[in-house]
Structure formats: structure tokens, C-alpha cells
Amino acid sequence: MGRGRLRIYLGAAPGVGKTYAMLSEAHRRVERGTDCVVAFVEHHARPRTEVMLHGLEEIPRTELAYRGGVFTEMDVDAVLARRPRVALVDELAHTNVPGSRNGKRWQDVEELLAAGIDVVSTVNIQHLESLGDVVESITGVRQKETVPDEVVRRADQIELVDMSPQALRRRMAHGNIYKPDKVDAALSNYFRPGNLTALRELALLWVADRVDEYLQQYRGEHGIRSTWQARERIVVGLTGGPEGRTLIRRAARLAEKGAGGEVLAVYIARSDGLTSASPKELAVQRTLVEDLGGTFHHVIGDDIPSALLEFARGVNASQIVLGVSRRKGWQYVFGPGVGATVARESGPDLDVHLITHDEVGKGRGLPVARGARLGRSRIIWGWLTGLAGPVLLALLLTHIDADLGLANDMLLFLTLTVAAALLGGLLPALASAAFGSLLLNYFFTQPLHRLTIADPKNIVALVIFVGVAVSVASVVDLAARRTHQAARLRAESEILSFLAGSVLRGETSVDALLERVRETFGMESVALLERTSDVDPWTCAASVGPNPPALPEDADVDMPVGDHMALALSGRVLPAEDRRVLAAFAAQSVVVLDRQRLQQEAEQARTLAEGNSIRTALLAAVSHDLRTPLAAIKAAVSSLRSDDVAWSQEDEAELLEGIEAGADRLDHLVGNLLDMSRLQTGTVTPLIREIDLDEVVPMALGGVPEDSMDLDIPETLPMVAVDPGLLERSVANIVENAVKYSPDGERVLVAASTLGDRVEVRVVDRGPGVPDEAKDRIFAPFQRYGDAPRGTGVGLGLAVARGFAEAMGGTLDAEDTPGGGLTMVLTVQAGPSRAGRLAELVQPERQAS
């Protein structure tokens, strides 16, 4: 059995007709013979929508009682039992009534899809979770019912139901959406033209992104490399120079000219792992492009024009923005430059913009952070100059009549050797010197056309030629190597400076630093591994990229840091000269990891400090409340022990009663203090078991007068899964608080009822009540609302009650009592045997009927 398919009608705003469209689709499917049922559709008393339900099979809804009312929800069990081919489920973001099978309707839909049932559903754009803050800033209304974006994105089909703001307001004015008495308020608030236009734009952009995902997937599956200009997507090629800011701003202006334009800034780094740009400037440009709504990308590639075009076609870009080259005029002898190459090879599907800027013709001014090896093209030209050049020169000199002399011939061959050294380095120059000496011997020394030398002077000349050629080639090659090393060291120093500065400023997390390592060295994944000793297994402290190595020996490159930590990289083997920078990254990653752990320890220390503060406040708060009952007990005992007064039996009974009351009060205070201490230190461990409420609640009421309360606990209540001791203490504190604040003659009601798979205990009083803004504050330790006199408690009763309730997996909340007063609602979990007990209770009723 496969998973069902999900189709969603996405509404740009309430009232655009998404439910009507869903029902129309249902009628089309029924006409084609598809088994389609209405699992849940809310027509909101709209006549046209209600008419569309005619002719469709509806699954009866389930009824749930909640806080004195009866509500209907989708009966998931009934739909699963019916097993239709297609189910219609309206309002995907709806929150189910407490006691339902799932908390949210989209979770119900997930069950139907998992059972192989296709689902057609509806949702409005303002209910998407990621857009909650945006919608609130536009409309001023916070959407309480939301659905995760991923749930909607996973839909097999998404159809936008849209309508112009003017048409929607006309529909509203005609009474097709809300009742007439609500139309004016709606038109002047939520349904203002500006609000509707903004919501419509949000919906269009969100759906456009979804369509773009489908397009990218299709192009990847079919291997399509050419650009489809479905929307303007502009790629900005950055070199890390100061002109990059101008290019980014220009690209942003181009994107603004077309709706839905997107800017992607990309920096191409060479695969040797070291950037040829200032990291500081790149960081500034990254921030700028993100502030303008674009994205920044770091790509590895030796051939910059090819890598740039590959990236642009990979993201389906329509335009490329490049800066005019910063090279000086004479530097064009080495090639046409990146801009001209990209423009020539872009083809008809990509437009290339070359933007002028203030840095044109001023030289690059940036370190060329390449290795000591020259580029492939230069090495090839060096070998061609060193080997083919002497051959051509020998042919030229043998076919002209002028006799230049052996010395001049040697100088010409020496020139080719120097050129080979400049282009290709030492090896082509040495080959050129050896090959040139042979040609000189064969063609220009006596006897001609033989590899022998008759005149000793010519032998000396040839030896000097070879020596000078080798010396010049060595010097040129050494100078080139030193130049490259200096450029590399400069690039390394810039990277390390930026790295150290960001780490010291605390701007980099471990994951961000590892991502920087991955981008810098062109790796697939990076992991920071650690172990506590030499014999313990390795564990991953942090990682980035797919399939990070789990062991140092599994990685392509591993960099030990100390005895028990290592930085492991997979993707390619790094040359030895790159390990110095990698070692700096590894050391910094350990520093960042240690800093994060120190921050966590500081947070724990802060928590302990708060606990100490609470204990200090506890001592200050109880200094009077503990001494008061002790003083009363002491006075009563002293009076009874006195021989100066002859106490009557009534007086003695009164004094003993005072002693007992003071002891009870002292016991209650000490109990609350100990309970609060256990909650603060996290040492409360509930022992959950099933028990009847009528076994616990009466025991909790022993400390209050019997005539001050009414008890209503039905015998049909299911058993609850609680810790009896904690529940008794919670109820006792709640009831004591209610009795304390109830007016004389007003009885406190303690009632219990079921709510789905939970049981509620409601303690209702008719006291002064608590304002909404203070309802959460009354549960804080050492808080006593209003003008409660000293000596009536330390303000821990409700704090302990809520703490114990939460420890058992329940909740404790305060509500207003209708007519005045405060209602405490204690909710606990019903026992696992609840279903069987309910079946036993319901069965006799069915038999009787």
C-alpha cells in the first residue's frame, strides 16, 4: 500500500473561494467515477458553498465536549474505516478541540495519507508558520492556527486560489463571505486594500518558489543544461575587489525591474584552497548582498570563466553581471580576460553585462594566492618555446645568406632559453639549453652537420652557452617561485587575520568555522572529532557537509589537535603546503568549541546563582512566617507550665488548640519550603501509577473546614496516571488558597470531569479574582497577590502545586470564574485503562436502549 497524494488549494486571503474550488474538483472526480467523500468541510453558512455539498457523501463528524460546550471534529477513525479513494479535508491549519485524536488537523491528514488515501485540502497563506511574523506586521493580527511550511511543500500539487483585492472586497460587501453585521468591521480592518494586496503578493511569491523547486527538479532529472528564462535570476561575479559593491548594487537595480527578480553573488576560489581575495572585503560584500535580498555563494574552480558559466546555468540564471577588468593595458597580451571569455562562451541563453567602475585599469592589486606551480597553459607554452623555438630558429638561420657568426647565433638561442624559463620554469629552460646546444653544434660549428667540434674555441663557447642558459633559467625560476610564495603567504596571512579576528570577537560558531574550512579548501565535508582518552572511541563534536568522516583514518585529510582531538576532512588530498593554514583552522575550531562549552557552563552557573538567589529570598521571606507560629507555640507552652496561674479546663483546651494550630501551620510552611527546594534542584521524581481521584482528593481536603467547600467527583471518572502524594499536595495547596480568598459564607467548589484522554480538577472560588496580566505571576515563588497580610503564607503554595503538576506531566492554569472569582484548572493524564473502563460504562447504556 503506497502513500496517498496530497493536493492543496492555497488561498491568498479568506473568502477567495478555495473551499468552493475544492468542492468543484470533488464533483469532477465523482463524475469520473472516483470514490470521493467529504471528511470535513466547513461552509461557514455561505449559500453557494453549502450548495456544492449536495451530491457528495459526507462522513459524520465526531462530537467532543469541552468546557460546557459540544464541538464537532473530523472522525479520523470513520474515514480510515470507510477507506475512500479521495477525502476532502478543509482548513488544514485548524487546531482540534482538546481530546481529539491529534492536536492539529494536518496531523489527521498525515494519518490519512499514510493509509493510502488521497487528500484534497485547503489553507490560507497567512496560516503558514514561516509567515506568521510577516502577516502580523501587515494585518496587525497574529494567526494562532498555523501549519508547518514543510507540510504544505510536501504536497504533490499546490493550486493558488487568487482574487484581486477589489473583487474580494465586492464579494465581502455583497455578504458572500461574512454576515451583514460584520461586513463593515471587516472591510475597515483586515480586508483593507493594502492588506489584501500584501497577502496576495506573499502568496504569489511563495507559490513561485515552489514552482521553481519543481523546475529545478525537472531540469536535473532530464539533464537540461540550457537556461530557461522563467524568471529573472541575476548572477554577480565577484573577485573580492572593491568594485564588487558597485556590481551588487547594479544587479539589485536590474532585479527590481522585473517582478520576482533574484540576485546571486558568487565568488570563484581556486581549488588550491587559498582565496585570492581579501576575506574582509568578501565579508562586507556578503553582508551587502544579503541586505539587498540576495544570496552569497562560494564556488571552487580553477577555470574561472567555465566555473562561473557552470554555476549560472546550474541555477537557471538569465543574466550575468561582471565588472570591466582591472588589468592594465599591457596585461591583455596574456589573454582576453574573464569578462570577454564569459561573454564569448555564454551563448544566446545568457545575457552578460560588463559594468564600468572606478577601479578599471588600475591593476588587480590583490594577491595571486596560487601554489609555486605555474598554470598549465604557461607550462605548455614554455615547453613549446624551449623545444620548438630552437628548431624554427635553426631553420631560419640556415636559410638566410647572412653569416651572423657563432656568437650572435648563441645569443639568439640564449634568448629562447630565457623565454622558456619565463614562461614554463626551470625544466623547459634546461631542455631548451640542452637542445639548443646540440643544434648549435650540428648546424653552426665545424664540421657542419656532425655532432663533433673541431675547433677547441667552439667547445668553450658551447660550454659557456649551456652554463649561462642554466644560470639564467635557475634565477628566473627562483624569482618566480619566490613571487608565488610571497603571494601565498600574503593570502594566508589575510585568511588567518580574518579568522583570528572573527573568533576573538565571538562572531563564529563551530559549525560556521567548519563551513569556512570546507569552502576554503574545497572539501565535501568536515568533522571535528574528539575522545576522552587514547582507548576511548571517537565522537563527533561538530560537522558540516554530507557523510562526514567518523574516524580520522576514514578521512582524506586529518589534522590532529592535541592528544584527543582531530579535524577530519573528506573530498580530496591536500598538498603539504596547505596543512599550515589547516592547522590554524583546527586550533581555532578547538578554541571556539571550548568557548561554547564555557558559555554552557556559565549558563549552568547562572542557573545555580539564581537558585542561590531564591534560597536567599526564601530565608528572607520565612524569617517572619516561621517565627510567628513558633512564638505562638512557645507562649502557649510557657503559659501551661506556669505555676502562678490556675488554668481552667476550657483555658487549657484553648491553649492546646493554639499549640496544635501553630504546629500545623509550621508543618505546612516547612513542607512547602522543602517541596520548593526539591523543585528548584530538580530532585522531584514522581512515581506514576493508576488511582481513582476519589481516593486522593478527599485526603487533600483534610486541612480546611468541611463547611467551606463542595465536592463533586463523579464515579464514572476514569482512573488517572499520577503520583498520589504529589497530586494530594497540589490539590491541598490549591484548595487552601481558594478557601483563604473566598468571602465568608461562600463555599469553594471542587469538581472533576473528563476531557478526551485527560482529567480536569477545577477548584472554583468566588473571591476577588486575579487580573489577566497577573495570572502567571501568582505561580511564581514568594508571590502573594494583592494585600495579603504577612503571616498568611510565604507565597509558595501555588508555585509548589504547579511544579508538582508539571512533574507528573499535567498542567495548572488560572481562569476567571463566571460571575467573579478565580478557577484553578488542574489537568492530569488519564490512565492507560481508560478506554476499557469507558467501554464497560457505555455498554450497559447501549443494552438498555
Side-chain angles (χ1 to χ4, degrees), residues 755-838:
L755 182 63
D757 59 349
R758 303 183 75 81
V759 175
E760 284 187 350
V761 179
R762 307 177 74 87
V763 180
V764 183
D765 67 56
R766 295 292 179 179
V770 176
D772 291 339
E773 62 272 12
K775 282 187 171 63
D776 285 334
R777 195 166 66 247
I778 63 176
F779 293 104
F782 310 108
Q783 296 293 322
R784 292 181 295 182
Y785 178 73
D787 298 327
R790 297 286 292 183
T792 60
V794 294
L796 288 176
L798 295 181
V800 170
R802 171 175 275 190
F804 283 170
E806 293 176 349
M808 295 184 293
T811 60
L812 176 60
D813 299 299
E815 298 178 354
D816 291 329
T817 301
L822 189 68
T823 299
M824 290 291 178
V825 183
L826 175 62
T827 306
V828 294
Q829 186 73 34
S833 61
R834 167 186 177 274
R837 179 167 181 177
L838 288 180

Side-chain angles (χ1 to χ4, degrees), residues 270-274 302 368-376 378-379 421-428 473-492 575-578 580:
R270 298 186 184 275
S271 60
D272 57 14
L274 294 174
D302 286 327
V368 181
R370 303 175 63 183
R373 302 178 182 89
L374 299 173
R376 178 180 299 178
R378 288 190 58 179
I379 293 176
L422 289 172
L423 290 174
L426 181 61
L427 291 180
S474 300
V475 171
V476 172
D477 182 72
L478 180 61
R481 289 178 180 273
R482 292 291 182 264
T483 301
H484 290 306
Q485 289 174 0
R488 181 185 182 89
L489 291 174
R490 179 180 174 184
E492 289 181 3
E577 57 266 22
D578 286 345
R580 177 172 52 187

